[in-house]
Amino acid sequence: MTTSRGSSLIEGYELDHGLVDEFLDPAVGYRDHWRPLGEAFDALGPRELRNRQQDVRRLLAADGATYRILDTNRLQPWKLDAVPLLVASAEWAQIESGVIQRAVLLDLVLRDLYGERKLLQRGVIPAEVVLPHPGFVPACDGIRLPDGSQLFTYAADIGRDPSGGFRVIADYAQAPSGAGYALENRVVLSRVFPSLYRDAQVHRVAPFFRSLRAGLESLGEGHSETPRIVVLTPGSQSETAFEHAFLASYLGYPLVEGADLVVTDGAVHLRTLGGLERVDVILRRVDAAYSDPLELRPESQLGVPGLVEACRRGSVVVANPIGSGAIENPALNAFLPAAAEALLGQELRLPGVRTWWCGDPDSLRYVLDHLDELVCKSLTHAGPARTRIASNLSAAERRILRAQIETRPHEWTATETVRLSTAPTLTSAGLRPRRTLLRTYAAAHEGSFTVMPGGLTRVAPDERSTVISNQTGALAKDTWVLSSEPERTSAPWLGNDPVVVPTDPFGGMSERAAENLFWVGRYAERAESVVRLLRAVHDRRNDQTTRDEAGQRAVEALLRSLTVATYTWPGFVGDDAAERLRNPDAELFSLACDARRPGSLAYAVSRLLPAAESVRDQLSIDTWQVTSTLERLLATLSTASPGRQDVVQGTLGEVMQSLLALHGLAGESMVRDVGWHFMEAGRRLERFHHLSVLLRAGLMTEYDPATEGILLESLLVAAESIVTYRRRYRSRAQVKTLLDLLVTDGGNPRSLRYQADRLTEAVAGLPGADPVGTPSELQRRVLRLSTAVRLADTASLAPDQPHRHVGASADGGRAPLVAFLDQLIIDVEQAAQELSSSSFTQARLQRTLTGFGSDDGLLAPAAPVQQLGQQQGPSHTQSQSQSQIQIQSQGPAL
């Protein structure tokens, strides 16, 4: 049936008479609470709505909102529909009340399961249901939150059935995911429809996160007046890594991995630059089984050895406590009504789906008789593999499933298939109904639970889909709970609390975060240097004519310098490079686009992005808009055709703009804390190193005046100093004056001296530096660099002398310059090595357990300049098995 009430917006909107539609009533059109927004959308029209959908995609991409698909281990953009789901105030009151009751009940169930276990003794819940489930962790018996409770955060998937009532489809307490995505959805949609959002009087979600933060603070009050709280993540390979970083940044807590924490003296400590710092509260986003390899899953590299024992001692609070996943048991739903009567003396306000535990003979008969109509779930397996939708199976597969259930019935449960309501979703054909599911969230606070008004709504990707999961292409929706009266402003973030004593500036950052910030600086500078050099080569080639012999020689010299400066041998260097010098397009394309080739631009960007991803909580939203653009440009380079040099050269300019924006944000927006000093040190070390190698490669050979003039000009272009040089030195390019500008000029931001000066300042802000007393070993090495460039005598390094012949070796007149640059390169490598070994030793010790390849060492060992390779930062790739552990340790997928 097509329901159209004179509105272009709902033309072709086909209602399924067997389902409730959240948007339209088949008899009257728009439902009452939808009418104002529906009419406003109709006034906008389909074309403008599609434009707004493009705005949604653009804003999500700018924020770097992504989601990892488990089957392919591939990141994909977060998908958000431009049309929100509206929930009337009265209906939300019903949902909110039911969620709070259910959270209270499940908390009591957890207390009993890890305490006296009276529910099992009295048969309210069969022991055979609880004990085999992987979410039940006997090692956590007796562990409690400080107030004696067991549940801190809780999420419920809620759907409307054909009768119009709400049902709980699933409960989550392991590490409930999606709240951060719900917040991102709200931020984006409120920007796309600012006036509509304001006029609709939508309940805000920010107060929920304030309550969450206040609840976490209260968990640590028994340990400290200012408890240290961290967010424990499996890492950047997790399904919801974006959300972990987004939440940590929004809440203001450090985002840490298992390697950042250590248990000593029965307490959990964070490995920081200032030493070990006591951790009081952990907001856990790692599944229980992976949380402690000492007591739970020995092969896990995501957890903290000894964490369970620290919880037993009460020296740290983990929220949710390890073992809370026991309430995600699909069979538990069959016994919750009886548990509610036993523990609360109440009926459930929000019933769950009808559930049959096959360990009960009557339930087993029903399941076997109605197998084709049911969803069957194994109690002994975790993740998507445990679920079998019988109607989707072949006859042979159903026979196997039946045999499995009959053989071990107590390990199986079955639920009815709920035909969920539909909600309007924007498609290329206009608004269309799609089945919908709401996940809402509750957090313990002041003896009860606070419920997020709304939550994460998801809709099926097409009209045929009945499974609603981001893993299978579902779209997200912002959920607008309409207020019946203006909402009062809640307590602000900042209050009139007593003044807090400042903490150790080195105590708030983990070594891992500092190391990644260091490499963000290095890889950003490395990428920028490669772009400048590639553009200088392309520009010189574009200017050259076939009869310009000097120009041809200069281009060949530049190509050889490109290979040396990027450490991409053999490239344009060596006896077999003649053909590549004649036809350099393939090699130039590889140096720009091959992300698997160390030294290429794409490789540098591909390493920059995961390093930045690992410290997302340390960086501003503006920074993430830049890195999201770089990610898009990397995809452009990686998919470019070798024959489209025009596309490649155009993309180089866009990459440069993003890298300059990243540098500008670091210079003008980041607080000069220890993280900034590491990033700045990385940038200055990299620029000093690159320029030293480039000058050596470009100046070690003498050419005729015409060739050398072109070459020196190109080197100045690559060093972004050509405009200054032309303004300052009106004569033709000379080696001495070039060295004056690029080596000894302290006012040139591209000179070696300028890098040494800035590096000196950056190192002074690092741990171990002494600003007035005895300098550290790192400070001494940097001082050696600074002294060398300050005292450099350019006249003696490049004395005037007649050119001997075209392409003569510089073992005569320029031998002093080559020796000088060789020593600088070795010294800057040793300075980088010293910084790494003095600052990141603990992180390196921990990292040896994670399967990193030997080619991903922090730094190449000191070696003669002819053997020095490009130093590589920490690897953000992992072995297949480790990657699978990370992406599977998230509980049920969204």
Side-chain angles (χ1 to χ4, degrees):
M1 168 184 175
T2 300
T3 301
S4 178
R5 302 288 169 185
S7 166
S8 61
L9 185 67
I10 58 177
E11 184 177 349
Y13 194 90
E14 298 281 349
L15 293 177
D16 187 326
H17 286 294
L19 303 177
V20 173
D21 187 75
E22 304 290 338
F23 180 50
L24 295 180
D25 184 317
V28 299
Y30 293 128
R31 297 190 182 277
D32 287 344
H33 64 287
W34 265 98
R35 186 172 302 280
L37 191 64
E39 292 174 349
F41 279 168
D42 194 53
L44 289 174
R47 176 176 295 181
E48 181 57 26
L49 273 180
R50 285 192 290 271
N51 290 339
R52 302 296 177 96
Q53 183 66 66
Q54 291 297 324
D55 291 340
V56 168
R57 294 193 185 100
R58 176 178 54 80
L59 290 172
L60 289 171
D63 287 350
T66 55
Y67 180 79
R68 189 173 296 277
I69 302 301
L70 299 181
D71 289 343
T72 61
N73 194 23
R74 176 179 56 86
L75 275 179
Q76 73 169 24
W78 182 249
K79 299 176 182 178
L80 173 63
D81 186 29
V83 178
L85 175 71
L86 269 58
V87 181
S89 179
E91 287 191 325
W92 177 252
Q94 175 189 350
I95 293 173
E96 183 179 40
S97 173
V99 168
I100 291 175
Q101 182 204 41
R102 199 171 182 95
V104 170
L105 172 62
L106 292 172
D107 174 52
L108 294 174
V109 170
L110 280 174
R111 294 192 203 196
D112 184 73
L113 294 181
Y114 290 102
E116 297 179 338
R117 286 184 277 280
K118 291 182 178 179
L119 292 174
L120 304 188
Q121 295 169 16
R122 297 172 182 174
V124 177
I125 302 175
E128 299 92 332
V129 168
V130 174
L131 300 181
H133 188 257
F136 180 70
V137 183
C140 295
D141 187 55
I143 294 176
R144 296 280 189 277
L145 294 175
D147 63 356
S149 66
Q150 281 279 61
L151 193 61
F152 179 75
T153 57
Y154 164 70
D157 279 348
I158 299 172
R160 193 195 297 267
D161 63 22
S163 72
F166 293 106
R167 288 183 177 271
V168 175
I169 309 300
D171 302 291
Y172 300 103
Q174 179 71 266
S177 59
Y181 286 109
L183 178 60
E184 171 71 4
N185 293 346
R186 176 59 54 85
V187 170
V188 168
L189 222 61
S190 64
R191 292 175 179 171
V192 173
F193 297 110
S195 59
L196 291 179
Y197 174 72
R198 288 193 300 268
D199 294 343
Q201 294 188 23
V202 180
H203 278 286
R204 294 172 299 121
V205 297
F208 169 79
F209 292 97
R210 291 173 186 163
S211 294
L212 175 65
R213 196 174 193 278
L216 289 168
E217 297 284 347
S218 67
L219 291 179
E221 286 178 353
H223 296 179
S224 170
E225 293 183 1
T226 56
R228 181 183 291 279
I229 302 170
V230 300
V231 179
L232 178 61
T233 175
S236 60
Q237 292 296 307
S238 68
E239 172 196 358
T240 53
F242 163 80
E243 178 189 38
H244 300 172
F246 186 53
L247 271 181
S249 178
Y250 188 81
L251 295 173
Y253 301 137
L255 184 68
V256 303
E257 298 179 18
D260 298 327
L261 302 177
V262 62
V263 176
T264 59
D265 298 326
V268 177
H269 294 82
L270 174 65
R271 304 177 191 268
T272 75
L273 298 167
L276 297 180
E277 296 285 336
R278 175 78 174 264
V279 172
D280 303 300
V281 180
I282 298 174
L283 180 59
R284 177 173 64 88
R285 304 309 301 266
V286 175
D287 279 2
Y290 297 90
S291 297
D292 185 350
L294 190 63
E295 293 207 39
L296 301 175
R297 193 161 180 165
E299 72 274 20
S300 172
Q301 298 169 18
L302 308 178
V304 185
L307 180 59
V308 171
E309 177 60 25
C311 292
R312 288 194 194 103
R313 296 187 180 197
S315 61
V316 69
V317 179
V318 175
N320 277 332
I322 300 170
S324 56
I327 68 167
E328 296 182 359
N329 187 330
L332 197 61
N333 202 47
F335 306 97
L336 282 185
E341 287 290 344
L343 298 174
L344 300 176
Q346 301 172 353
E347 293 184 356
L348 288 175
R349 297 168 194 156
L350 272 182
V353 294
R354 292 184 64 194
T355 302
W356 295 268
W357 174 54
C358 295
D360 173 68
D362 292 338
S363 297
L364 174 62
R365 281 193 297 272
Y366 181 89
V367 170
L368 295 177
D369 290 344
H370 300 82
L371 189 62
D372 293 354
E373 308 166 12
L374 302 175
V375 177
C376 300
K377 298 179 181 181
S378 168
L379 301 189
T380 57
H381 295 86
R386 74 179 182 187
T387 302
R388 302 284 191 277
I389 302 176
S391 60
N392 293 346
L393 302 178
S394 67
E397 289 171 330
R398 281 197 293 272
R399 285 195 297 272
I400 293 173
L401 175 61
R402 178 183 292 272
Q404 290 174 332
I405 294 174
E406 289 176 332
T407 302
R408 302 184 69 84
H410 61 283
E411 293 182 1
W412 287 89
T413 188
T415 63
E416 65 178 333
T417 302
V418 180
R419 302 185 67 224
L420 298 170
S421 63
T422 56
T425 305
L426 189 60
T427 72
S428 58
L431 287 188
R432 294 293 182 267
R434 297 288 183 265
R435 299 196 186 198
T436 185
L437 186 66
L438 167 65
R439 180 176 295 185
T440 193
Y441 304 87
H445 184 48
E446 296 181 348
S448 183
F449 285 87
T450 299
V451 179
M452 179 190 294
L456 177 64
T457 294
R458 289 163 294 159
V459 293
D462 55 58
E463 66 277 5
R464 297 179 301 278
S465 297
T466 57
V467 176
I468 302 176
S469 168
N470 290 87
Q471 293 292 323
T472 58
L475 286 81
K477 279 181 173 290
D478 190 15
T479 310
W480 290 10
V481 175
L482 305 181
S483 176
S484 57
E485 58 185 25
E487 190 176 16
R488 292 182 298 176
T489 302
S490 61
W493 283 106
L494 302 178
N496 296 320
D497 297 326
V499 176
V500 177
V501 177
T503 58
D504 177 2
F506 302 134
M509 178 171 291
S510 69
E511 288 186 356
R512 177 190 55 83
E515 183 183 9
N516 279 290
L517 284 169
F518 172 70
W519 281 99
V520 166
R522 292 209 70 170
Y523 280 124
E525 183 61 34
R526 187 172 299 179
E528 184 180 330
S529 299
V530 176
V531 171
R532 292 190 187 282
L533 193 47
L534 282 171
R535 291 175 71 183
V537 170
H538 284 301
D539 290 346
R540 183 55 60 192
R541 289 188 69 210
N542 294 339
D543 287 344
Q544 155 202 339
T545 65
T546 55
R547 284 186 256 178
D548 181 3
E549 295 182 4
Q552 179 64 35
R553 286 192 294 270
V555 167
E556 290 182 357
L558 274 175
L559 292 173
R560 286 190 289 267
S561 298
L562 176 62
T563 293
V564 174
T566 57
Y567 292 94
T568 51
W569 290 282
F572 298 109
V573 176
D575 297 335
D576 61 345
E579 179 58 33
R580 288 189 291 275
L581 285 169
R582 283 193 297 271
N583 299 288
D585 284 351
E587 179 71 7
L588 290 174
F589 178 83
S590 174
L591 290 177
C593 302
D594 189 351
R596 296 169 298 179
R597 185 178 186 182
S600 72
L601 168 63
Y603 183 86
V605 175
S606 72
R607 304 278 287 200
L608 164 65
L609 293 173
E613 177 73 31
S614 294
V615 289
R616 185 182 186 113
D617 60 311
Q618 305 282 336
L619 304 174
S620 68
I621 294 296
D622 290 337
T623 303
W624 280 103
Q625 294 178 0
V626 175
T627 56
S628 296
T629 301
L630 281 172
E631 190 168 11
R632 174 181 59 80
L633 294 172
L634 176 62
T636 300
L637 288 173
S638 300
T639 57
S641 168
R644 294 299 306 273
Q645 289 286 351
D646 57 326
V647 173
V648 175
Q649 292 187 40
T651 304
L652 292 180
E654 293 185 74
V655 172
M656 178 60 75
Q657 291 176 13
S658 294
L659 292 170
L660 291 176
L662 187 62
H663 190 188
L665 284 167
E668 298 298 328
S669 299
M670 286 187 69
V671 174
R672 269 39 175 183
D673 59 6
V674 64
W676 180 88
H677 281 86
F678 272 108
M679 185 184 293
E680 178 72 356
R683 179 179 290 276
R684 298 306 171 184
L685 283 167
E686 189 68 37
R687 187 177 293 183
F688 191 106
H689 178 267
H690 173 82
L691 182 56
S692 300
V693 175
L694 179 61
L695 289 175
R696 185 191 191 279
L699 300 178
M700 66 179 294
T701 301
E702 293 182 83
Y703 295 93
D704 62 276
T707 301
E708 189 153 280
I710 297 172
L711 177 59
L712 295 183
E713 182 181 38
S714 297
L715 292 176
L716 287 165
V717 169
E720 201 193 2
S721 296
I722 186 64
V723 173
T724 302
Y725 188 91
R726 286 171 176 165
R727 186 173 63 246
R728 184 176 299 179
Y729 306 104
R730 298 182 181 181
S731 62
R732 66 177 178 84
Q734 297 176 340
V735 175
K736 178 189 180 302
T737 50
L738 179 144
L739 294 177
D740 287 339
L741 182 60
L742 295 184
V743 175
T744 62
D745 189 341
N748 179 11
R750 293 285 161 175
S751 74
L752 292 179
R753 177 172 171 180
Y754 189 90
Q755 310 321 309
D757 290 345
R758 301 293 80 77
L759 181 59
T760 300
E761 295 169 359
V763 166
L766 298 182
D770 190 337
V772 294
T774 304
S776 66
E777 179 61 26
L778 176 59
Q779 286 176 297
R780 283 195 291 269
R781 291 186 181 276
V782 172
L783 179 61
R784 183 181 306 165
L785 283 174
S786 179
T787 302
V789 294
R790 283 173 176 271
L791 299 181
D793 182 356
T794 57
S796 62
L797 291 175
D800 292 331
Q801 63 177 23
H803 290 273
R804 287 167 291 172
H805 56 81
V806 173
S809 171
D811 56 1
R814 291 194 192 152
L817 175 61
V818 172
F820 171 74
L821 293 171
D822 280 352
Q823 189 60 52
L824 288 184
I825 294 168
I826 292 175
D827 287 345
V828 74
E829 291 277 0
Q830 290 178 345
Q833 178 72 55
E834 177 59 32
L835 187 153
S836 172
S837 61
S838 62
S839 299
F840 309 136
T841 51
Q842 290 179 339
R844 287 289 289 166
L845 286 171
Q846 190 78 3
R847 187 171 295 110
T848 59
L849 301 177
T850 61
F852 287 174
S854 59
D855 59 336
D856 291 311
L858 265 177
L859 297 163
V865 67
Q866 292 85 354
Q867 298 175 5
L868 282 173
Q870 277 203 325
Q871 301 167 352
Q872 305 301 328
S875 172
H876 294 274
T877 60
Q878 295 172 303
S879 66
Q880 179 70 15
S881 59
Q882 174 65 7
S883 178
Q884 287 300 108
I885 286 177
Q886 280 206 336
I887 64 177
Q888 290 177 0
S889 65
Q890 299 298 296
L894 276 176

